[in-house]
Every structure is written in C-alpha cells, then in structure tokens.
Amino acid sequence: MLEVLGKMKYFIGMFGFLFKKNFFDIWDNLFHLLLINVIYTVLILSGVFGFLELCTLEIPDRIKILVLGLAIVVFSMILHVFIFAQGKSAEKISNYSAPKLADFFGNIIPSIKDGLLFGFLFGMLIIVAFVSIPFYLTLSFSEDATTGSFMGLILAFFVFWILVFVLLGLQWFMAVRNVLHNGFRKCLKKSFILFFDNFWFTVGMALINLLNVLITILTLSLMPSFSGIQVCVTNALHLRMYKYDWYEVNPGMTKEQRRQVPWEQLLQKDRKLLGTRKLRTLFFPWKE
C-alpha cells in the first residue's frame, strides 16, 4: 500500500511540475508558437484540400486508392520536415531560452532527411491502420452479421495494439533527435528504449498530448497544437534524462536501488529556474 501511495505521489508531483513548466514555457513564447502553428495550419489545410481534389478524380477505384495512399505518404513527409524544423526551437524553449522565427526557417534544410524518413514511416502507419484493420474486421462477419472468421477479429485487434505501441514509442523521436543529437536509427532505438523503460510515464505523456489535441480542436484555436505538443514532449524528455544522468554518476546500483530515483533532488534546479510563478501573476500582475 505504501509503495502504491509513493508511486501516486511521484506521478502527481512529476506531472504537476511538468504541467506548470509546459504552461509557462508556452505562455512566455506564445507569439512564436502561434506563428509556427499558423504555418502548420496552412500546410494541413492545403493537404486536406488537395486530398479532397484527388478524391474527385474520375479514375478506376484501384488506381485512385494507390494515388490517395501515395498522397498521404507524400504529405506526411513534407509536413514532418517543417515539424522537425521547429524541434530545435522547442529545445531552446525547454532550456529557458527564447527562440527566433529565423531559427525555424534556418532548420528546414537540416531537417529534410530525418523529416522525410519519419514522415514516410508515419504515413505508412496511417495506411496500415486504415487498410488492414477494416479489412480484417470485414473477415470477422458475414453480410448478415451471423457468421464469420474469428481470426479476422484477432488480427484486427493485434494490428491495432501494435500500432498503438509503435506510436507511443515514436512520440519521443523528435525530442530525442533534438536533445541528444543522434542519427535516425539511433533516435528510433532510443525512443523505444525510453518507451519500455518508462512505460507509464510514456502513457501519461500520450494522454497529455491527446488532451492538447482535444483542446485545440474543441476551442478551434491555434494553441497548443503541434508546436505546444513539441514543447511538452521536449520538457518531458529533459526531465526524464535526469534519471539516466543519475544512473551514470551512481554506477553499480541494484535493480531495487535504481527504482528509488530522488526526483525531488534532481528537479531542484528546474524548480528554482521556473521560480514560484503563479497564474495570478500572469493575469493580475499588479496584485503581486
């Protein structure tokens, strides 16, 4: 019971600090992030309209499916080049520095290789999700929904959870690339090492990212959107890396000792840098 309460206290403290840091980092760089999200929005709307135009082409269905699949992959590749270009700015924000719009445009060319590769991978995952899962589900039921292959349902379930686990690992990729400065393959490897070594923390980050997406959609706003999510994940990785730094300066620990990470001690510097800022200070500074 005490162990469970200890873990709950850790999660509440860690994510509470993470929420606070994310909020103030986004607030302090709001104008920059809004401009980047405008660029993302223009790109996404252009891709959506282009995709809808392709849907109206009067060509055989099989060829149309191939064209639409290719369009998804190409659009994903182009979009991720620009998303990766913002990654270095997200790292600056996470390190309490102010990014410049010139940083974003200056990072576009260096981001082409990894952006295209990651975009291709992500686009293929989308195609797998929208092709294989419906296909396997159709095998599960006959036209009158009375008979069918149970194996189809199992395969659909299997593919779904494989995609979920892959996406959970990939959410660390851009942050790993910009914080650790590794190549594409090493970033993939380290992303999944982080995932399996910090499973519940990764799931918690996925829920935060989902919340950010829902807030953006439901409020029809440009925040937090992609740039805000990048800041959140980069902050999370910076905080998580303190654990591995602690491992390096304390070699030879047992498995049980490695679980007792002194997070309060490790986060002292960040807590001091962030200060004792409150929401009231932002909206009513004259009351301080």
Side-chain angles (χ1 to χ4, degrees):
M1 185 65 179
L2 291 176
E3 183 179 354
V4 174
L5 291 175
K7 288 183 177 180
M8 287 181 62
K9 182 180 178 181
Y10 149 69
F11 272 105
I12 293 173
M14 172 64 75
F15 281 105
F17 177 74
L18 184 59
F19 269 113
K20 181 179 180 181
K21 188 175 189 309
N22 288 338
F23 180 85
F24 285 109
D25 282 349
I26 291 173
W27 180 270
D28 291 340
N29 301 276
L30 187 61
F31 184 66
H32 172 84
L33 297 176
L34 278 172
L35 286 177
I36 300 301
N37 283 335
V38 168
I39 296 173
Y40 289 158
T41 302
V42 171
L43 287 170
I44 292 171
L45 290 178
S46 300
V48 170
F49 286 128
F51 186 83
L52 293 176
E53 285 295 319
L54 291 176
C55 290
T56 63
L57 292 177
E58 296 181 0
I59 55 178
D61 289 343
R62 290 185 177 180
I63 297 178
K64 182 181 285 189
I65 291 173
L66 290 175
V67 171
L68 293 177
L70 180 61
I72 289 173
V73 173
V74 171
F75 172 71
S76 175
M77 293 169 70
I78 295 172
L79 179 63
H80 277 92
V81 170
F82 288 90
I83 292 177
F84 274 46
Q86 171 61 11
K88 292 302 294 181
S89 296
E91 192 214 356
K92 277 190 173 183
I93 292 172
S94 182
N95 282 322
Y96 306 95
S97 298
K100 298 178 181 178
L101 194 60
D103 296 332
F104 170 76
F105 291 107
N107 284 319
I108 290 177
I109 293 178
S111 301
I112 289 177
K113 179 183 176 181
D114 287 349
L116 292 178
L117 288 172
F118 189 89
F120 176 81
L121 175 60
F122 192 80
M124 293 304 297
L125 290 175
I126 294 175
I127 292 175
V128 169
F130 283 93
V131 173
S132 63
I133 294 178
F135 173 75
Y136 289 133
L137 288 176
T138 58
L139 298 179
S140 303
F141 304 98
S142 62
E143 292 183 359
D144 59 1
T146 57
T147 61
S149 171
F150 186 66
M151 182 58 67
L153 188 61
I154 293 176
L155 289 172
F157 181 83
F158 177 76
V159 171
F160 172 79
W161 282 109
I162 288 294
L163 289 172
V164 169
F165 276 82
V166 170
L167 292 173
L168 283 172
L170 288 180
Q171 74 174 329
W172 293 114
F173 185 94
M174 280 179 276
V176 169
R177 176 181 180 269
N178 292 295
V179 173
L180 302 181
H181 311 290
N182 295 134
F184 190 85
R185 290 185 179 180
K186 279 193 174 182
C187 285
L188 275 179
K189 181 180 179 180
K190 289 184 178 181
S191 295
F192 285 98
I193 290 174
L194 276 166
F195 167 44
F196 288 112
D197 193 39
N198 305 275
F199 179 80
W200 290 114
F201 186 76
T202 301
V203 171
M205 280 307 305
L207 294 176
I208 291 175
N209 291 336
L210 180 60
L211 176 63
N212 286 329
V213 171
L214 291 175
I215 291 173
T216 304
I217 294 173
L218 294 177
T219 59
L220 299 176
S221 65
L222 292 172
M223 290 302 295
S225 192
F226 286 113
S227 66
I229 290 173
Q230 286 177 279
V231 172
C232 293
V233 177
T234 306
N235 275 332
L237 178 62
H238 266 134
L239 298 181
R240 187 63 12 178
M241 290 307 297
Y242 290 150
K243 178 176 77 170
Y244 298 103
D245 293 338
W246 181 67
Y247 286 167
E248 287 187 8
V249 298
N250 294 279
M253 291 187 296
T254 64
K255 187 176 180 180
E256 183 61 32
Q257 288 174 327
R258 288 166 69 91
R259 291 179 180 175
Q260 308 301 319
V261 183
W263 285 112
E264 284 301 318
Q265 177 183 341
L266 297 178
L267 294 178
Q268 278 184 2
K269 181 180 177 181
D270 279 87
R271 291 187 187 279
K272 185 177 180 180
L273 288 171
L274 189 62
T276 57
R277 300 172 67 182
K278 300 178 181 178
L279 291 177
R280 184 177 62 178
T281 307
L282 298 179
F283 301 108
F284 309 103
W286 58 87
K287 289 190 175 182
E288 290 298 314

